[in-house]
Amino acid sequence: MVKPSPAPVPGSAADTTPRYDGPVPQTEGEVWAILSAIPDPEIPVITITDLGIVRDVTLIGEEVIVAVTPTYSGCPATTVIGLAIETALRDARLMPTILTQIDPPWTTDWLTDEAREKLRRYGIAPPSATGPEACPHCGATTLTKVSQFGSTPCKAAWRCDACLEPFDYFKCH
Amino acid sequence: MSDLFTFLTRMGDNTLVLGHRLSEWCGHAPVLEEDIALANTALDLIGQTQMWLGLAAQVEGAGRSADDLAMLRDAWDFRNLLLVERPNGDFGATIMRQCLFDRFHLLLLDALTHSTDTRIAAIAAKAVKEVRYHADRSAELVIGLGDGTAESHTRMQTALDALWPYVGEMFTDDATDTAMAAAGIAPLPSTLRAAWDTQMTDILTQATLTRPDGDFAHQGGKNGAQHSEHLGHMLSQMQWLQRAYPGATW
């Protein structure tokens, strides 16, 4: 028996539902609203604007220029994010140009408070200068670093000494 | 070929060749966490390569891209240090090579954040945050393995002795370096040596390893005059697709 394929991850290349089906955006604020609905491909509970990687939007008629900064220079999600932005803005009947802007370099200080809370609820400890503050599962504060590197460039692997569950920590960068 | 282009290919070729070497560990590291860590470090270095070689291609203005520079040049056009093309050896040798390079890389990038060329300063500011993390990790591992079991200590000392003749090239100045320093674009490599020595002595002392005496330094990587035979073998694998199917894209 062939197993049905899983539903595509929202916002991924396999997801063919239109990202936007409203009227053509007239203001940069409306473009920002569209961008703020695009999920991060690796951590779909947060959006690309939550991450702070959209740095600038310029709307001139139907042409829109979006400046995006990579989180880590080699992060493979960067290409996918660019594609998702382009698709969403084309769905909105705009002509997008996506620029990569590396200066100033991305920092986790640009994560919104909302994003930090979403990460925590998703089981990822948000960044902090001194390492994770609490286990995202049980809230305990005795924690052990398993590895400085985790499942994506932006995360490290930690374990809670109380509930013994492993968890991802969004590295302070 | 301009000095600026040469300088940028040195930066990009170091990160490309070392990034590829580290990626050779993918699926082979002694434990899963280290496998992931090496692959992540490789990813950072390849990402930095795109920026350095992208700027090199732009500066050259001959219509080549970062991909063209990475995949369509042969060994004699590469300008990476001999150290980074050394074969991986065992895990200890890979970590020792990483530590020796990371300390140099960190000092260099820190200085480049003040480059008079704002494009270079911007790339350095992005890369230095990643490399600081690499340098912390490789130093921790050198200390842990050096001051570990008799077996790990012996392997780390053997790796250090074998790689030491490749340290000197990092700090050798040539005409390109002098031109970059005069323009305020990059520091003279020799000026980074004292800080590197201080940091390395501290790491090696904590690792209970003995710093080798000799200061003989193999040369020929950063000027492309005499790469080791290992680079060609590595490129034949890295560039295999473009060599077998010239111009292939997807």
Coordinates of all heavy atoms in Angstrom, one line a residue, chain A residues 19-112:
Chain A
R19 N 0.0 32.4 -1.7 CA 0.5 33.0 -0.4 C -0.4 34.2 -0.1 O -0.5 34.7 1.0 CB 1.9 33.5 -0.5 CG 3.0 32.5 -0.1 CD 3.0 31.3 -1.0 NE 4.2 30.5 -0.8 CZ 4.5 29.4 -1.5 NH1 3.6 28.9 -2.4 NH2 5.6 28.7 -1.3
Y20 N -1.0 34.7 -1.1 CA -1.8 36.0 -1.0 C -2.8 36.1 -2.0 O -2.5 35.8 -3.2 CB -0.8 37.1 -1.1 CG -1.5 38.5 -1.0 CD1 -1.7 39.0 0.3 CD2 -1.8 39.2 -2.1 CE1 -2.3 40.3 0.4 CE2 -2.4 40.5 -2.0 CZ -2.6 41.0 -0.7 OH -3.2 42.2 -0.6
D21 N -4.1 36.4 -1.7 CA -5.1 36.5 -2.7 C -5.9 37.7 -2.6 O -7.1 37.8 -3.0 CB -6.0 35.2 -2.8 CG -6.6 34.9 -1.4 OD1 -6.4 35.7 -0.5 OD2 -7.2 33.8 -1.3
G22 N -5.4 38.7 -1.9 CA -6.1 40.0 -1.7 C -5.8 41.0 -2.8 O -5.2 40.6 -3.9
P23 N -6.2 42.2 -2.7 CA -5.9 43.2 -3.7 C -4.4 43.6 -3.8 O -3.7 43.3 -2.8 CB -6.7 44.5 -3.2 CG -6.9 44.2 -1.7 CD -6.9 42.8 -1.5
V24 N -4.0 44.2 -4.9 CA -2.6 44.5 -5.1 C -2.2 45.5 -4.0 O -2.9 46.5 -3.8 CB -2.4 45.1 -6.5 CG1 -0.9 45.5 -6.6 CG2 -2.8 44.1 -7.5
P25 N -1.1 45.2 -3.2 CA -0.7 46.1 -2.1 C -0.4 47.5 -2.7 O 0.3 47.7 -3.7 CB 0.5 45.5 -1.6 CG 0.4 44.0 -2.0 CD -0.3 44.1 -3.3
Q26 N -0.8 48.5 -1.9 CA -0.6 49.9 -2.4 C 0.5 50.6 -1.5 O 1.0 51.6 -1.9 CB -1.9 50.7 -2.2 CG -3.1 50.2 -3.1 CD -2.8 50.3 -4.6 OE1 -2.2 51.2 -5.1 NE2 -3.2 49.2 -5.3
T27 N 0.8 50.0 -0.3 CA 1.7 50.7 0.6 C 2.8 49.7 1.0 O 2.6 48.4 0.9 CB 1.0 51.2 1.8 OG1 0.5 50.0 2.6 CG2 -0.2 52.1 1.5
E28 N 3.9 50.2 1.5 CA 4.9 49.3 2.0 C 4.5 48.5 3.2 O 4.8 47.4 3.4 CB 6.2 50.1 2.3 CG 6.9 50.5 1.0 CD 7.9 51.6 1.1 OE1 8.2 52.1 2.2 OE2 8.4 52.0 0.0
G29 N 3.6 49.2 4.0 CA 3.0 48.5 5.2 C 2.3 47.2 4.8 O 2.4 46.2 5.4
E30 N 1.6 47.3 3.6 CA 0.8 46.1 3.2 C 1.8 45.0 2.7 O 1.5 43.8 2.8 CB -0.1 46.5 2.0 CG -1.4 47.3 2.6 CD -2.2 47.9 1.4 OE1 -2.2 47.4 0.3 OE2 -2.7 49.0 1.6
V31 N 2.9 45.4 2.1 CA 3.9 44.5 1.7 C 4.5 43.8 3.0 O 4.7 42.6 3.0 CB 5.1 45.1 0.9 CG1 6.2 44.1 0.6 CG2 4.5 45.7 -0.4
W32 N 4.8 44.6 4.0 CA 5.3 44.0 5.2 C 4.4 43.0 5.8 O 4.8 42.0 6.3 CB 5.6 45.2 6.3 CG 6.9 45.8 6.1 CD1 7.2 47.0 5.5 CD2 8.2 45.4 6.6 NE1 8.5 47.3 5.6 CE2 9.2 46.3 6.2 CE3 8.6 44.2 7.3 CZ2 10.5 46.2 6.6 CZ3 10.0 44.1 7.6 CH2 10.9 45.1 7.2
A33 N 3.1 43.3 5.7 CA 2.1 42.4 6.2 C 2.1 41.1 5.5 O 2.0 40.0 6.1 CB 0.7 43.0 6.1
I34 N 2.3 41.1 4.2 CA 2.5 39.8 3.4 C 3.7 39.1 3.9 O 3.7 37.9 4.1 CB 2.5 40.1 1.9 CG1 1.2 40.7 1.4 CG2 2.9 38.9 1.1 CD1 1.3 41.2 0.0
L35 N 4.8 39.8 4.0 CA 6.1 39.2 4.4 C 6.0 38.6 5.8 O 6.6 37.5 6.1 CB 7.2 40.2 4.3 CG 7.5 40.8 3.0 CD1 8.6 41.8 3.0 CD2 7.9 39.7 2.0
S36 N 5.2 39.2 6.7 CA 5.1 38.8 8.0 C 4.3 37.5 8.2 O 4.1 37.0 9.3 CB 4.6 39.9 9.0 OG 3.2 40.1 8.7
A37 N 3.7 37.0 7.0 CA 3.0 35.7 7.1 C 3.8 34.6 6.5 O 3.4 33.5 6.5 CB 1.7 35.9 6.3
I38 N 5.1 34.9 6.1 CA 5.9 33.8 5.5 C 6.7 33.1 6.6 O 7.5 33.7 7.3 CB 6.9 34.4 4.5 CG1 6.1 35.1 3.3 CG2 7.8 33.3 3.9 CD1 7.0 35.8 2.3
P39 N 6.4 31.8 6.8 CA 7.1 31.1 7.8 C 8.6 30.8 7.5 O 9.0 30.7 6.3 CB 6.4 29.8 7.9 CG 5.8 29.5 6.6 CD 5.6 30.9 6.0
D40 N 9.4 30.7 8.5 CA 10.8 30.3 8.3 C 10.7 28.8 7.9 O 10.0 28.0 8.5 CB 11.6 30.4 9.6 CG 13.0 29.8 9.5 OD1 13.8 30.5 8.9 OD2 13.2 28.7 9.9
P41 N 11.5 28.4 6.9 CA 11.3 27.0 6.4 C 11.8 25.9 7.4 O 11.4 24.8 7.4 CB 12.2 27.0 5.1 CG 13.0 28.2 5.1 CD 12.3 29.2 6.0
E42 N 12.8 26.3 8.3 CA 13.3 25.3 9.2 C 12.5 25.3 10.5 O 12.4 24.3 11.2 CB 14.8 25.7 9.6 CG 15.7 25.4 8.4 CD 16.1 23.9 8.2 OE1 15.6 23.1 9.0 OE2 16.9 23.7 7.4
I43 N 12.0 26.5 10.9 CA 11.3 26.6 12.2 C 10.0 27.3 11.9 O 9.8 28.5 12.0 CB 12.1 27.5 13.2 CG1 13.5 27.0 13.3 CG2 11.4 27.4 14.6 CD1 14.4 28.0 14.1
P44 N 9.0 26.5 11.3 CA 7.8 27.1 10.7 C 6.9 27.9 11.7 O 6.0 28.6 11.3 CB 7.1 25.9 10.1 CG 7.7 24.7 10.6 CD 9.0 25.1 11.1
V45 N 7.1 27.8 13.0 CA 6.3 28.5 13.9 C 6.6 30.0 14.0 O 5.8 30.8 14.4 CB 6.3 28.0 15.4 CG1 5.6 26.7 15.5 CG2 7.7 27.9 15.9
I46 N 7.8 30.4 13.5 CA 8.1 31.8 13.4 C 8.2 32.3 12.0 O 8.4 31.5 11.1 CB 9.4 32.2 14.2 CG1 10.6 31.4 13.7 CG2 9.3 32.0 15.7 CD1 11.9 31.8 14.3
T47 N 8.0 33.6 11.8 CA 8.0 34.1 10.4 C 9.3 34.8 10.2 O 10.1 35.0 11.1 CB 6.8 35.1 10.2 OG1 7.2 36.3 11.0 CG2 5.5 34.6 10.7
I48 N 9.5 35.1 8.9 CA 10.8 35.7 8.5 C 10.9 37.1 9.1 O 12.0 37.6 9.4 CB 11.0 35.7 7.0 CG1 9.9 36.5 6.3 CG2 11.1 34.3 6.5 CD1 10.2 36.7 4.8
T49 N 9.8 37.8 9.4 CA 9.9 39.1 10.0 C 10.1 38.9 11.5 O 10.8 39.8 12.1 CB 8.6 40.0 9.8 OG1 7.5 39.2 10.1 CG2 8.6 40.4 8.3
D50 N 9.6 37.9 12.1 CA 9.9 37.6 13.5 C 11.4 37.4 13.7 O 12.0 37.8 14.7 CB 9.3 36.2 14.0 CG 7.8 36.3 14.2 OD1 7.2 37.4 14.4 OD2 7.1 35.2 14.1
L51 N 12.0 36.8 12.7 CA 13.5 36.5 12.8 C 14.3 37.8 12.6 O 15.5 37.8 12.9 CB 13.8 35.5 11.6 CG 14.0 34.1 11.9 CD1 14.3 33.4 10.6 CD2 15.1 33.8 12.9
G52 N 13.7 38.8 12.0 CA 14.4 40.0 11.8 C 15.3 40.0 10.6 O 16.2 40.8 10.5
I53 N 15.0 39.1 9.6 CA 15.9 39.0 8.5 C 15.4 39.9 7.3 O 16.2 40.1 6.4 CB 16.1 37.6 8.0 CG1 14.8 36.9 7.6 CG2 16.9 36.8 9.1 CD1 15.0 35.6 7.0
V54 N 14.2 40.4 7.4 CA 13.7 41.4 6.3 C 14.2 42.7 6.8 O 13.8 43.2 7.9 CB 12.2 41.3 6.1 CG1 11.8 42.4 5.1 CG2 11.8 39.9 5.7
R55 N 15.1 43.4 6.1 CA 15.7 44.6 6.6 C 15.1 45.8 6.0 O 15.1 46.9 6.5 CB 17.2 44.6 6.3 CG 18.0 43.5 6.9 CD 17.7 43.3 8.4 NE 18.0 44.4 9.2 CZ 17.5 44.6 10.4 NH1 16.7 43.7 10.9 NH2 17.8 45.7 11.1
D56 N 14.5 45.7 4.8 CA 14.0 46.9 4.1 C 13.0 46.5 3.0 O 13.2 45.5 2.3 CB 15.2 47.7 3.5 CG 14.7 49.1 3.2 OD1 13.9 49.7 3.9 OD2 15.3 49.7 2.2
V57 N 12.0 47.4 2.8 CA 11.0 47.2 1.7 C 10.8 48.5 1.0 O 10.6 49.5 1.7 CB 9.7 46.7 2.3 CG1 8.6 46.7 1.2 CG2 9.8 45.3 2.9
T58 N 11.0 48.5 -0.3 CA 10.7 49.7 -1.1 C 9.7 49.4 -2.2 O 10.0 48.5 -3.0 CB 12.0 50.2 -1.7 OG1 13.1 50.3 -0.7 CG2 11.9 51.6 -2.3
L59 N 8.6 50.1 -2.2 CA 7.6 49.9 -3.2 C 7.5 51.0 -4.1 O 7.3 52.2 -3.7 CB 6.2 49.7 -2.4 CG 5.0 49.3 -3.3 CD1 5.1 47.9 -3.9 CD2 3.7 49.4 -2.5
I60 N 7.7 50.8 -5.4 CA 7.6 51.8 -6.5 C 6.6 51.3 -7.5 O 7.0 50.5 -8.3 CB 9.0 52.1 -7.1 CG1 10.0 52.4 -6.0 CG2 8.9 53.3 -8.1 CD1 11.5 52.1 -6.5
G61 N 5.4 51.7 -7.4 CA 4.4 51.2 -8.3 C 4.2 49.7 -8.1 O 3.9 49.3 -6.9
E62 N 4.4 48.9 -9.1 CA 4.2 47.5 -8.9 C 5.5 46.8 -8.6 O 5.6 45.6 -8.4 CB 3.6 46.9 -10.2 CG 2.2 47.3 -10.4 CD 1.5 46.6 -11.6 OE1 2.3 46.0 -12.4 OE2 0.3 46.6 -11.7
E63 N 6.6 47.6 -8.6 CA 7.9 47.0 -8.4 C 8.2 47.1 -6.9 O 8.0 48.2 -6.3 CB 9.0 47.7 -9.2 CG 8.9 47.3 -10.6 CD 10.1 48.0 -11.4 OE1 11.2 48.1 -10.9 OE2 9.8 48.3 -12.6
V64 N 8.7 46.0 -6.3 CA 9.0 46.1 -4.9 C 10.4 45.5 -4.7 O 10.8 44.5 -5.3 CB 7.9 45.3 -4.1 CG1 7.8 43.9 -4.5 CG2 8.2 45.4 -2.6
I65 N 11.2 46.2 -3.9 CA 12.6 45.7 -3.6 C 12.6 45.3 -2.1 O 12.3 46.1 -1.2 CB 13.6 46.8 -3.9 CG1 13.5 47.2 -5.3 CG2 15.0 46.4 -3.5 CD1 14.2 48.6 -5.6
V66 N 13.0 44.1 -1.9 CA 13.1 43.6 -0.5 C 14.5 43.3 -0.2 O 15.2 42.5 -0.9 CB 12.2 42.3 -0.3 CG1 12.2 41.8 1.1 CG2 10.8 42.6 -0.8
A67 N 15.0 43.9 0.9 CA 16.4 43.6 1.3 C 16.3 42.5 2.4 O 15.6 42.7 3.4 CB 17.1 44.8 1.8
V68 N 17.0 41.4 2.2 CA 17.0 40.3 3.2 C 18.5 40.1 3.7 O 19.4 40.1 2.9 CB 16.5 39.0 2.5 CG1 16.5 37.9 3.5 CG2 15.1 39.3 2.0
T69 N 18.6 39.8 4.9 CA 20.0 39.5 5.4 C 20.0 38.0 5.9 O 19.0 37.5 6.5 CB 20.3 40.4 6.6 OG1 21.7 40.3 6.9 CG2 19.6 40.1 7.9
P70 N 21.0 37.3 5.5 CA 21.1 35.9 6.0 C 21.4 35.8 7.5 O 22.0 36.7 8.0 CB 22.3 35.3 5.1 CG 23.1 36.4 4.7 CD 22.2 37.7 4.7
T71 N 20.9 34.7 8.1 CA 21.2 34.5 9.5 C 22.6 34.1 9.6 O 23.5 34.8 10.2 CB 20.3 33.4 10.1 OG1 20.4 32.3 9.3 CG2 18.9 33.9 10.2
Y72 N 23.0 32.9 9.1 CA 24.4 32.5 9.0 C 24.7 32.5 7.5 O 23.8 32.2 6.6 CB 24.5 31.1 9.6 CG 24.5 31.1 11.1 CD1 23.3 31.3 11.8 CD2 25.7 31.0 11.8 CE1 23.3 31.4 13.1 CE2 25.7 31.1 13.2 CZ 24.5 31.3 13.8 OH 24.5 31.4 15.2
S73 N 26.0 32.8 7.2 CA 26.3 33.0 5.8 C 26.1 31.7 4.9 O 25.8 31.8 3.7 CB 27.7 33.5 5.6 OG 28.6 32.7 6.2
G74 N 26.2 30.5 5.5 CA 26.0 29.3 4.7 C 24.6 28.7 4.9 O 24.4 27.6 4.5
C75 N 23.7 29.4 5.6 CA 22.4 28.7 5.9 C 21.7 28.4 4.6 O 21.3 29.3 3.8 CB 21.6 29.6 6.8 SG 20.0 28.8 7.3
P76 N 21.4 27.1 4.4 CA 20.7 26.7 3.1 C 19.3 27.3 3.0 O 18.7 27.3 2.0 CB 20.7 25.2 3.1 CG 21.4 24.8 4.4 CD 21.6 26.0 5.3
A77 N 18.7 27.6 4.2 CA 17.3 28.2 4.2 C 17.2 29.5 3.5 O 16.2 29.9 3.0 CB 16.8 28.3 5.6
T78 N 18.4 30.2 3.3 CA 18.4 31.5 2.7 C 17.8 31.5 1.3 O 16.9 32.4 1.0 CB 19.8 32.1 2.7 OG1 20.4 32.0 4.0 CG2 19.8 33.6 2.3
T79 N 18.2 30.5 0.5 CA 17.7 30.4 -0.9 C 16.2 30.2 -0.9 O 15.4 30.7 -1.6 CB 18.4 29.2 -1.6 OG1 19.7 29.3 -1.2 CG2 18.2 29.4 -3.1
V80 N 15.7 29.3 0.1 CA 14.3 28.9 0.1 C 13.5 30.1 0.6 O 12.4 30.4 0.1 CB 14.1 27.7 1.1 CG1 12.7 27.3 1.2 CG2 15.0 26.6 0.7
I81 N 14.0 30.9 1.5 CA 13.3 32.1 2.0 C 13.2 33.1 0.8 O 12.1 33.7 0.6 CB 14.1 32.7 3.2 CG1 13.9 31.8 4.4 CG2 13.6 34.1 3.5 CD1 14.9 32.1 5.5
G82 N 14.3 33.3 0.1 CA 14.2 34.2 -1.1 C 13.1 33.8 -2.1 O 12.3 34.6 -2.6
L83 N 13.0 32.5 -2.3 CA 12.0 31.9 -3.2 C 10.6 32.1 -2.7 O 9.7 32.5 -3.4 CB 12.3 30.4 -3.4 CG 11.5 29.7 -4.5 CD1 11.9 30.3 -5.9 CD2 11.8 28.2 -4.5
A84 N 10.4 31.9 -1.3 CA 9.1 32.1 -0.7 C 8.7 33.6 -0.8 O 7.5 33.9 -1.0 CB 9.2 31.7 0.8
I85 N 9.6 34.5 -0.6 CA 9.3 35.9 -0.7 C 8.9 36.3 -2.1 O 7.8 36.9 -2.3 CB 10.5 36.8 -0.3 CG1 10.8 36.6 1.2 CG2 10.2 38.3 -0.6 CD1 12.1 37.3 1.6
E86 N 9.6 35.8 -3.1 CA 9.3 36.1 -4.5 C 8.0 35.5 -4.8 O 7.2 36.2 -5.5 CB 10.4 35.5 -5.4 CG 10.2 35.9 -6.8 CD 11.4 35.5 -7.7 OE1 12.5 35.2 -7.2 OE2 11.2 35.5 -8.9
T87 N 7.7 34.3 -4.4 CA 6.4 33.7 -4.8 C 5.2 34.5 -4.1 O 4.2 34.7 -4.8 CB 6.4 32.2 -4.2 OG1 7.5 31.6 -4.6 CG2 5.2 31.5 -4.8
A88 N 5.4 34.8 -2.9 CA 4.3 35.5 -2.2 C 4.0 36.9 -2.9 O 2.9 37.3 -3.1 CB 4.7 35.8 -0.7
L89 N 5.1 37.6 -3.2 CA 4.9 38.9 -3.8 C 4.4 38.8 -5.3 O 3.6 39.7 -5.7 CB 6.2 39.7 -3.7 CG 6.6 40.0 -2.3 CD1 7.9 40.8 -2.3 CD2 5.5 40.8 -1.6
R90 N 4.8 37.7 -6.0 CA 4.2 37.5 -7.3 C 2.7 37.2 -7.2 O 1.9 37.6 -8.0 CB 5.0 36.4 -8.1 CG 6.3 36.9 -8.6 CD 6.9 36.0 -9.6 NE 8.3 36.4 -9.9 CZ 8.6 37.4 -10.7 NH1 7.6 38.1 -11.3 NH2 9.8 37.7 -10.9
D91 N 2.4 36.4 -6.2 CA 0.9 36.1 -5.9 C 0.2 37.4 -5.7 O -1.0 37.5 -6.0 CB 0.8 35.1 -4.7 CG 1.2 33.7 -5.1 OD1 1.4 33.4 -6.3 OD2 1.4 32.9 -4.1
A92 N 0.9 38.4 -5.1 CA 0.2 39.7 -4.8 C 0.3 40.6 -6.1 O 0.0 41.8 -6.0 CB 0.9 40.3 -3.6
R93 N 0.7 40.0 -7.2 CA 0.8 40.7 -8.5 C 1.8 41.9 -8.4 O 1.6 43.0 -9.0 CB -0.6 41.1 -9.0 CG -1.5 39.9 -9.2 CD -2.8 40.3 -9.8 NE -3.7 41.1 -8.9 CZ -4.3 40.6 -7.8 NH1 -4.1 39.4 -7.4 NH2 -5.0 41.4 -7.1
L94 N 2.9 41.7 -7.7 CA 4.0 42.7 -7.7 C 5.2 42.1 -8.4 O 5.2 40.9 -8.7 CB 4.4 43.0 -6.3 CG 3.3 43.7 -5.4 CD1 3.8 43.8 -4.0 CD2 3.1 45.1 -6.0
M95 N 6.1 43.0 -8.8 CA 7.4 42.6 -9.5 C 8.5 42.7 -8.4 O 9.0 43.7 -8.2 CB 7.7 43.5 -10.6 CG 6.6 43.5 -11.7 SD 6.8 42.0 -12.7 CE 8.3 42.4 -13.6
P96 N 8.8 41.5 -7.8 CA 9.8 41.6 -6.7 C 11.3 41.5 -7.1 O 11.6 40.8 -8.1 CB 9.4 40.4 -5.8 CG 8.8 39.4 -6.7 CD 8.2 40.2 -7.9
T97 N 12.1 42.3 -6.5 CA 13.6 42.1 -6.6 C 14.1 41.8 -5.2 O 13.7 42.6 -4.2 CB 14.2 43.4 -7.1 OG1 13.6 43.7 -8.4 CG2 15.7 43.1 -7.3
I98 N 14.8 40.8 -5.0 CA 15.3 40.5 -3.6 C 16.8 40.7 -3.6 O 17.6 40.2 -4.4 CB 15.0 39.0 -3.3 CG1 13.4 39.0 -3.1 CG2 15.6 38.6 -1.9 CD1 12.9 37.7 -3.5
L99 N 17.2 41.6 -2.7 CA 18.6 41.9 -2.5 C 19.1 41.3 -1.2 O 18.4 41.2 -0.2 CB 18.8 43.5 -2.3 CG 18.3 44.3 -3.5 CD1 18.6 45.8 -3.1 CD2 19.1 44.0 -4.8
T100 N 20.4 40.8 -1.3 CA 21.0 40.3 -0.1 C 21.8 41.4 0.6 O 22.6 42.0 -0.1 CB 21.9 39.1 -0.4 OG1 21.1 38.1 -1.0 CG2 22.5 38.5 0.9
Q101 N 21.5 41.6 1.8 CA 22.2 42.7 2.5 C 22.9 42.2 3.7 O 22.3 41.7 4.6 CB 21.2 43.8 2.9 CG 21.7 45.0 3.6 CD 20.6 45.9 4.1 OE1 19.6 46.2 3.4 NE2 20.7 46.4 5.3
I102 N 24.3 42.2 3.7 CA 25.0 41.5 4.8 C 25.4 42.5 5.9 O 25.9 42.1 6.9 CB 26.2 40.7 4.3 CG1 27.2 41.6 3.6 CG2 25.8 39.5 3.5 CD1 28.6 40.9 3.5
D103 N 25.3 43.8 5.6 CA 25.7 44.8 6.5 C 24.6 45.7 7.0 O 23.9 46.3 6.1 CB 26.8 45.7 5.8 CG 27.4 46.8 6.7 OD1 27.5 46.5 7.9 OD2 27.7 47.9 6.2
P104 N 24.3 45.8 8.3 CA 25.0 45.2 9.4 C 24.6 43.7 9.5 O 23.5 43.3 9.1 CB 24.4 46.0 10.6 CG 23.1 46.5 10.2 CD 23.2 46.7 8.7
P105 N 25.5 43.0 10.1 CA 25.3 41.5 10.2 C 24.1 41.2 11.1 O 23.9 41.9 12.1 CB 26.6 40.9 10.7 CG 27.3 42.1 11.4 CD 26.8 43.3 10.6
W106 N 23.4 40.2 10.7 CA 22.2 39.7 11.5 C 22.6 39.4 12.9 O 23.7 38.8 13.2 CB 21.6 38.5 10.8 CG 20.4 37.9 11.6 CD1 19.2 38.4 11.6 CD2 20.4 36.7 12.4 NE1 18.4 37.6 12.4 CE2 19.1 36.6 12.9 CE3 21.4 35.8 12.8 CZ2 18.8 35.5 13.7 CZ3 21.1 34.8 13.6 CH2 19.8 34.6 14.1
T107 N 21.8 39.7 13.8 CA 22.0 39.3 15.2 C 20.7 38.8 15.8 O 19.6 39.3 15.4 CB 22.5 40.5 16.1 OG1 22.3 40.3 17.4 CG2 21.9 41.8 15.7
T108 N 20.8 37.9 16.8 CA 19.6 37.4 17.5 C 18.9 38.5 18.3 O 17.8 38.4 18.7 CB 19.9 36.2 18.4 OG1 21.1 36.4 19.1 CG2 20.0 35.0 17.5
D109 N 19.6 39.7 18.5 CA 18.9 40.8 19.1 C 17.7 41.3 18.3 O 16.8 42.0 18.8 CB 19.8 42.0 19.3 CG 21.0 41.7 20.2 OD1 20.9 40.7 20.9 OD2 22.0 42.5 20.2
W110 N 17.7 41.0 17.0 CA 16.6 41.4 16.1 C 15.4 40.5 16.2 O 14.3 40.7 15.6 CB 17.0 41.5 14.7 CG 18.1 42.6 14.4 CD1 18.4 43.6 15.3 CD2 18.9 42.7 13.3 NE1 19.4 44.4 14.7 CE2 19.7 43.8 13.5 CE3 19.1 42.0 12.1 CZ2 20.7 44.3 12.6 CZ3 20.1 42.4 11.2 CH2 20.8 43.5 11.4
L111 N 15.5 39.4 16.9 CA 14.3 38.5 17.1 C 13.3 39.3 18.0 O 13.6 39.9 19.0 CB 14.7 37.3 18.0 CG 14.7 35.9 17.3 CD1 15.7 35.9 16.2 CD2 14.9 34.8 18.3
T112 N 12.0 39.3 17.5 CA 11.0 40.0 18.3 C 10.7 39.2 19.5 O 10.9 38.0 19.6 CB 9.7 40.1 17.4 OG1 9.2 38.8 17.1 CG2 10.0 40.9 16.1

